[in-house]
Amino acid sequence: MAYLMNKTLRSRLVEISAAAAKSLSKSIEKSINEGEVTDKKEIATIRRKSLIRMFGGIDSVKFKETMTFFLIAARENELVGKESDEMKKAATIFAEGLNVATNGKLHPRTIEVLSIARPQYKAASVVPDLWSNDAFIVLPKQ
């Protein structure tokens, strides 16, 4: 959460995340337009391949982890009133990154790890699960 409170770090992360989501979206759209794709399974394969082509195997996983983690951090900062407008914008960019890369699926291992300290996230699996204010009961540090 503190990382996003630094204006410079936040703006750089948001800028690169937006650029990555836009580039990935164009790559996916191009792949879909080159062939007649109607099957959801084929679109999921195109998403995965485009993500790997753009980032490589390990970094494609890191992208999903990062977008999941920072979406949650931005939403928590927003809901406790810390630079709410800026956090909402950041959360929107991170959500878009996940929407483009994974059709809105959160990174399961990141959710699993965060759930140790924040059990309210345990059932979250897609972006809309985190967009409700009910999902964000900020717990005190233990």
Side-chain angles (χ1 to χ4, degrees), residues 37-86:
V37 180
T38 55
D39 186 299
K40 286 183 181 181
K41 197 173 187 179
E42 288 178 45
I43 293 172
T45 299
I46 288 171
R47 283 180 196 279
R48 188 179 69 256
K49 286 181 179 179
S50 295
L51 190 62
I52 291 170
R53 190 171 42 250
M54 185 170 163
F55 290 111
I58 298 296
D59 287 342
S60 66
V61 174
K62 289 179 184 178
F63 180 77
K64 295 182 278 189
E65 290 171 345
T66 301
M67 292 300 99
T68 299
F69 179 82
F70 282 110
L71 169 58
I72 290 171
R75 290 288 289 146
E76 283 193 5
N77 281 341
E78 174 194 349
L79 294 173
V80 296
K82 295 181 180 177
E83 299 187 34
S84 294
D85 290 341
E86 292 301 315

Side-chain angles (χ1 to χ4, degrees), residues 100-111:
V100 170
T102 66
N103 201 28
K105 293 178 185 158
L106 303 170
H107 186 260
R109 178 70 179 136
T110 302
I111 294 297

